[in-house]
């Protein structure tokens, strides 16, 4: 069920987190608009619609401010905080996802952007992040409200057209290049990024989260899919072993910090009056992972490119990304040997499991129409209505009748 709001969109007090009244925004307001007289009011509104957010609580904070000349100004922030749901909160706490994201917004991303500023090419990767004035006792991220600057998500159900895909790949290549140069300047990322969630300690959670029962039960019913079903039927027996193995980064290869969750809902676009894309920003940095760029490329292209682009333009999109990557590495004066396109394709070939994970775990969520039941518990539970809807969705089945044979023909399902 969605939470009721009062007439002006504000959430009723009883539905808000108990800690929210303790929030103080003086520092954040000053960082956004400079000196001011006082904050008149803070009005929390719902920040994400049902079926669009799985792991966190989102609130939009509308702040009325009295300026030094006693006029008033309205500004807003987006507050991302740990979920009220205890199961989800426990998973997030165990995986330290908020701590990772805070590190990204307040430390790592500013350093990425400084690399480009120093090279004479100002760039922005994400919304600006702010600190509140005192410890709230909960994990949170406070961000500028990109909607105020007319940023929007593309329609995840139709997928990104070629123009939008190319803009995302330009920004992703710049992000990856910055991460490779960051390692040269600041040393290797910490274990939360080099290992991340892919550790033996998280085996059970990975097993639950990646169980393929519901997907395979539907695959068995699809036309002309018997051979694919037989190839994948026992994949749950070895999938997590292979996942833990594949996600260990190889220091001898070209590695980047992958965004890790690079799909349509985590990409914001700003357009001009004629519909031309002016700016592209990423949000949600909780699951960044150091390793092969093959991970982000599969994730982005197979989850979020429009169906007619996913396979037909796959190699073109990889080439476009690669050319931008090399251009940015040269600009930032990367000292190691530049990556070669053939090595990127070899990495894509070796990481076939990553492609399968995207089309069997992420794509069905992306293509599912809004559901009030969108949460991690529903996603994990094989018996849930959400799982049934995901894998019987005719649009998903149609896309998979093309994508799955394509993966198989490239040898990307031979990871047993």
């Amino acid at each position: 069920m969605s939470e009721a709001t009062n007439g002006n969109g504000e959430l009723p007090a009883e539905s808000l987190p108990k800690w929210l009244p303790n929030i103080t925004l003086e520092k954040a307001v000053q960082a956004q608009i400079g000196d001011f007289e006082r904050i008149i009011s803070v009005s929390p509104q719902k920040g994400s619609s049902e079926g669009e957010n799985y792991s966190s609580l989102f609130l939009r904070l509308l702040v009325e401010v009295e300026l030094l000349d006693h006029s008033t100004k309205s500004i807003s922030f987006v507050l991302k905080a740990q979920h009220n749901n205890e199961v989800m909160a426990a998973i997030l706490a165990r995986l330290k996802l908020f701590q990772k994201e805070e590190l990204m917004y307040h430390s790592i991303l500013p350093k990425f952007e400084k690399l480009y500023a120093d090279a004479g090419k100002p760039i922005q990767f994400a919304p600006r992040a702010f600190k509140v004035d005192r410890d709230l006792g909960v994990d949170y991220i406070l961000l500028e409200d990109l909607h105020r600057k007319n940023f929007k998500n593309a329609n995840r159900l139709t997928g990104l057209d070629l123009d939008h895909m190319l803009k995302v790949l330009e920004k992703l290549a710049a992000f990856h290049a910055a991460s490779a140069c960051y390692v040269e300047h600041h040393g290797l990322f910490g274990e939360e990024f080099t290992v991340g969630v892919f550790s033996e300690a998280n085996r059970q959670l990975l097993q639950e989260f990646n169980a393929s029962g519901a997907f395979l039960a539907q695959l068995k019913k699809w036309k002309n899919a018997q051979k694919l079903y037989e190839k994948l039927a026992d994949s749950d027996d070895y999938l997590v072993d292979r996942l833990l193995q594949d996600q260990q980064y190889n220091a001898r290869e070209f590695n980047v910090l992958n965004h890790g969750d690079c799909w349509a809902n985590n990409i914001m676009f700003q357009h001009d009056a004629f519909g031309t894309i002016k700016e592209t920003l990423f949000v949600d940095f909780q699951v960044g992972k150091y390793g092969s760029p093959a991970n982000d490329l599969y994730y982005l292209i197979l989850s979020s490119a429009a169906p007619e682009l996913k396979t037909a333009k796959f190699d073109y999109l990889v080439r476009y990304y690669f050319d931008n990557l090399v251009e940015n590495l040269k600009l930032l004066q990367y000292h190691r040997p530049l990556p070669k396109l053939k090595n990127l394709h070899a990495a894509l070939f070796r990481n076939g499991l990553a492609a399968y994970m995207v089309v069997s775990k992420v794509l069905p969520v992306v293509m599912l129409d809004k559901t009030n039941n969108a949460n991690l518990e529903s996603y994990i539970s094989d018996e849930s209505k959400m799982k049934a809807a995901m894998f019987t969705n005719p649009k998903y089945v149609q896309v998979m009748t093309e994508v799955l044979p394509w993966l198989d023909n490239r040898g990307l399902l031979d990871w047993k």
Side-chain angles (χ1 to χ4, degrees):
M1 289 291 290
S2 62
E3 292 175 272
T5 57
N6 60 26
N8 59 7
E10 283 185 40
L11 290 167
E14 63 272 13
S15 71
L16 295 170
K18 292 185 177 66
W19 48 263
L20 190 62
N22 300 327
I23 199 166
T24 50
L25 296 170
E26 273 75 8
K27 278 185 189 169
V29 170
Q30 176 141 26
Q32 190 153 325
I33 65 168
D35 290 339
F36 65 97
E37 191 66 38
R38 68 188 180 101
I39 293 174
I40 299 166
S41 64
V42 178
S43 308
Q45 293 191 337
K46 197 157 195 188
S48 65
S49 55
E50 299 302 324
E52 296 298 327
N53 181 50
Y54 291 82
S55 63
S56 304
L57 171 73
F58 275 87
L59 295 172
R60 181 164 280 110
L61 303 179
L62 305 184
V63 185
E64 197 73 17
V65 180
E66 182 183 334
L67 303 178
L68 295 177
D69 64 1
H70 303 300
S71 63
T72 60
K73 183 180 177 73
S74 295
I75 61 173
S76 58
F77 300 92
V78 170
L79 180 70
K80 178 178 179 179
Q82 65 189 34
H83 223 290
N84 290 334
N85 181 298
E86 287 180 15
V87 174
M88 286 192 232
I91 291 172
L92 291 172
R94 177 175 170 178
L95 300 178
K96 298 185 175 163
L97 300 189
F98 269 95
Q99 291 90 320
K100 270 181 81 169
E101 189 165 29
E102 185 176 11
L103 197 57
M104 284 297 298
Y105 274 116
H106 290 287
S107 175
I108 294 171
L109 287 171
K111 290 188 175 82
F112 284 8
E113 290 171 0
K114 187 175 187 303
L115 287 170
Y116 283 97
D118 291 347
K121 181 188 172 182
I123 195 168
Q124 185 179 357
F125 289 112
R128 208 172 155 203
F130 304 96
K131 294 273 194 182
V132 297
D133 300 354
R134 60 180 173 189
D135 183 19
L136 292 173
V138 294
D139 294 319
Y140 74 91
I141 307 285
L142 187 68
L143 301 169
E144 69 173 308
D145 184 2
L146 291 177
H147 289 279
R148 284 280 172 126
K149 295 180 179 176
N150 295 316
F151 277 88
K152 292 183 175 68
N153 294 117
N155 184 334
R156 64 180 170 84
L157 297 173
T158 55
L160 303 179
D161 64 18
L162 188 58
D163 284 348
H164 285 81
M165 279 300 299
L166 296 182
K167 286 297 182 187
V168 180
L169 287 166
E170 285 173 26
K171 189 56 67 86
L172 187 65
F175 178 82
H176 284 172
S179 71
C181 295
Y182 172 99
V183 172
E184 290 191 323
H185 289 258
H186 302 284
L188 193 59
F189 295 97
E191 197 173 283
E192 64 270 49
F193 296 104
T194 56
V195 177
V197 302
F198 299 101
S199 69
E200 192 62 45
N202 292 327
R203 175 179 284 274
Q204 188 180 344
L205 192 58
L206 289 168
Q207 200 89 46
E208 288 174 14
F209 206 75
N210 294 303
S212 300
F215 168 71
L216 293 170
Q218 293 305 319
L219 176 62
K220 195 174 185 180
K221 299 173 188 175
W222 295 353
K223 272 188 203 168
N224 306 318
Q226 193 56 35
K227 282 188 177 175
L228 289 170
Y229 170 76
E230 287 167 7
K231 180 175 271 193
L232 298 168
D234 62 346
S235 57
D236 276 4
D237 296 344
Y238 52 84
L239 188 145
V240 171
D241 285 335
R242 186 61 198 265
L243 199 55
L244 291 172
Q245 186 182 319
D246 282 6
Q247 288 298 328
Q248 291 178 15
Y249 81 94
N250 183 344
R252 292 189 300 278
E253 291 180 16
F254 177 73
N255 293 295
V256 300
L257 183 63
N258 287 274
H259 178 283
D261 199 10
C262 196
W263 68 293
N265 273 24
N266 289 334
I267 304 163
M268 305 289 287
F269 296 100
Q270 186 187 51
H271 300 85
D272 68 15
F274 303 100
T276 307
I277 305 160
K278 280 169 62 180
E279 180 62 289
T280 308
L281 297 178
F282 298 125
V283 295
D284 199 338
F285 292 89
Q286 291 191 332
V287 290
K289 172 73 176 63
Y290 186 67
S292 170
N295 292 290
D296 266 353
L297 287 171
Y298 277 138
Y299 206 112
L300 171 64
I301 298 170
L302 295 180
S303 79
S304 296
E308 66 273 15
L309 302 178
K310 286 185 200 300
T311 59
K313 292 284 187 185
F314 185 86
D315 289 336
Y316 169 74
L317 294 171
V318 169
R319 177 63 194 247
Y320 188 82
Y321 159 85
F322 174 80
D323 288 344
N324 278 271
L325 174 73
V326 170
E327 188 183 311
N328 283 301
L329 289 169
K330 287 177 179 173
L331 173 75
L332 299 178
Q333 300 183 337
Y334 183 65
H335 291 108
R336 298 177 192 182
L338 290 168
K340 291 185 168 64
L341 182 59
K342 68 175 183 180
N343 294 341
L344 178 57
H345 277 293
L348 286 161
F349 179 70
R350 279 194 303 275
N351 285 277
L353 177 57
Y356 171 73
M357 298 296 282
V358 174
V359 300
S360 64
K361 316 290 179 209
V362 183
L363 183 60
V365 178
V366 174
M367 297 192 74
L368 187 61
D369 222 333
K370 288 185 182 182
T371 166
N372 287 353
N373 207 29
N375 58 56
L376 283 177
E377 286 177 286
S378 298
Y379 182 83
I380 292 170
S381 166
D382 249 358
E383 294 75 39
S384 72
K385 285 182 184 174
M386 181 180 165
K387 274 272 175 82
M390 278 163 46
F391 297 122
T392 55
N393 174 5
K395 287 179 182 170
Y396 171 69
V397 175
Q398 187 180 344
V399 168
M400 285 295 275
T401 55
E402 183 183 320
V403 170
L404 213 51
W406 179 83
L407 293 179
D408 192 37
N409 291 339
R410 287 168 90 98
L412 298 175
L413 299 180
D414 299 342
W415 33 265
K416 188 167 182 178

